[in-house]
Amino acid sequence: MSEMGVEELLAAYATGELEGEEIERVEAALETSPRLRSELEQYETMFVLLAAAAEEEVKAPKGFRGRVARRVAITAYLGAATNVLDDLLGVYGRAILYYLRLT
Amino acid sequence: MELSKVMKLDDAALAARAKSGDRAAFSELVARHEDVVYRVCYRVLGSREDAEDAAQEAFVRAYRKLDSFEGRSSFKTWMVRLSMNVSLNERSKRKGTLPEAPMPAPAPDPERELLSSEAAARVHGALQKIQPNYRAAITLRDLEGLSYKEIGESLDIAEGTARVWAHRGRTKLREVLSQ
């Protein structure tokens, strides 16, 4: 990481992920480069947007849990059926389930 | 097992019970992690409908693969990994189709954007335009707040690779947002 150019450290600098010598390198370069300062501003804007997006309430839809529970129940029953058929009919039982597209 | 007792168990204990066929324990794990799983799927796929399908599939796969959950990472990290795999596979199947996420006109004042959902829509739209592995790293780091170690575990990559993907993703995202 320390060998990366200053430009490549800007995003990490904007989020506070850098330490010690890397911070000093970035800050020294920023003092003399308007282009780097402009890029840093763009990163800061981006992280404001990302922080806002992270705050956006995205929750699983209503009834999601129930729909998962139904699919899990079907999976469990099919798994049990596979085991029973496997015990009873061996490879033929599995072939029947495969043919019926149940596994 | 009684619901109140199930709710007191930690994730590892619930996973152990679910492995032995306790579906109430698995339902509690779904209840605890449904939002993060759905969010990850939504942020990779950019569509709420596709996100629900992918999130359901991730939980069904989790149930089938419970035996492979060894507890080396947290259950949440394991679920995020499954969600990412399902979403990225779905995404690659639909390669070339346009994302549903809206792209409103760029707004130059970020403080104003904070007051609305425009910021989120803008970020989601821009994320759909960068490489899936970079999008995954940014989603987990900058939207879900995972450490690079957790991102590595979630995406089955080295911690250093997680850093590189997040770094490159941020560079690309800045470019897209600045266009």
Side-chain angles (χ1 to χ4, degrees):
Chain A
M1 187 89 173
S2 60
E3 291 179 7
M4 292 168 85
V6 167
E7 200 170 343
E8 294 185 318
L9 295 173
L10 278 181
Y13 176 78
T15 57
E17 289 177 3
L18 296 187
E19 290 177 4
E21 183 260 344
E22 287 177 333
I23 294 177
E24 288 169 19
R25 273 177 63 200
V26 172
E27 290 181 347
L30 283 170
E31 276 187 26
T32 58
S33 170
R35 186 180 62 80
L36 285 179
R37 287 200 295 276
S38 167
E39 275 189 27
L40 178 63
E41 269 182 30
Q42 289 177 354
Y43 276 120
E44 285 169 345
T45 301
M46 181 183 87
F47 285 117
V48 168
L49 292 171
L50 281 166
E55 290 297 312
E56 184 199 24
E57 190 146 294
V58 180
K59 286 185 172 290
K62 206 176 169 187
F64 176 80
R65 235 172 271 178
R67 291 189 285 278
V68 170
R70 278 194 290 280
R71 284 190 61 182
V72 165
I74 291 168
T75 301
Y77 287 131
L78 285 177
T82 305
N83 290 339
V84 169
L85 278 179
D86 208 23
D87 289 346
L88 289 175
L89 303 168
V91 71
Y92 295 107
R94 285 195 164 276
I96 289 167
L97 282 174
Y98 180 78
Y99 179 74
L100 294 173
R101 295 176 191 275
L102 292 175
T103 57
Chain B
M1 193 176 195
E2 277 177 44
L3 189 62
S4 59
K5 286 182 183 167
V6 163
M7 288 170 75
K8 285 177 189 164
L9 297 174
D10 66 18
D11 284 1
L14 285 172
R17 294 197 64 85
K19 268 186 207 183
S20 61
D22 183 343
R23 289 221 300 276
F26 189 74
S27 291
E28 176 60 19
L29 287 168
V30 174
R32 287 183 191 181
H33 301 289
E34 62 178 358
D35 287 337
V36 68
V37 165
Y38 177 77
R39 253 193 336 263
V40 164
C41 294
Y42 171 61
R43 284 169 173 159
V44 171
L45 292 166
S47 147
R48 289 184 187 268
E49 194 181 358
D50 292 342
E52 160 136 17
D53 290 344
Q56 280 189 25
E57 181 60 26
F59 278 118
V60 171
R61 280 193 201 181
Y63 185 77
R64 283 191 189 132
K65 293 181 172 188
L66 273 171
D67 282 339
S68 69
F69 175 67
E70 295 166 345
R72 280 187 300 221
S73 61
S74 69
F75 187 80
K76 178 187 166 186
T77 303
W78 189 66
M79 272 315 306
V80 167
R81 182 174 177 172
L82 285 173
S83 313
M84 273 292 176
N85 284 340
V86 171
S87 303
L88 291 172
N89 283 342
E90 182 58 28
R91 179 84 195 169
S92 67
K93 275 190 228 159
R94 297 192 283 116
K95 207 174 181 180
T97 57
L98 288 170
E100 183 195 88
M103 274 290 282
D109 180 359
E111 287 182 6
R112 187 183 66 76
E113 283 186 309
L114 271 175
L115 299 173
S116 71
S117 62
E118 273 183 33
R122 221 179 140 201
V123 167
H124 288 149
L127 279 173
Q128 301 306 314
K129 295 188 172 183
I130 67 175
Q131 253 177 260
N133 54 336
Y134 298 164
R135 178 167 60 241
I138 290 185
T139 295
L140 297 180
R141 177 66 186 164
D142 296 321
L143 296 177
E144 291 300 324
L146 267 61
S147 68
Y148 287 114
K149 183 174 181 286
E150 289 171 319
I151 296 171
E153 288 169 355
S154 300
L155 300 177
D156 201 16
I157 54 176
E159 187 177 334
T161 307
R163 279 181 192 278
V164 170
W165 285 9
H167 163 70
R168 290 185 183 159
R170 286 163 169 175
T171 303
K172 290 285 177 195
L173 189 66
R174 176 182 63 83
E175 288 168 8
V176 173
L177 286 168
S178 304
Q179 281 167 6

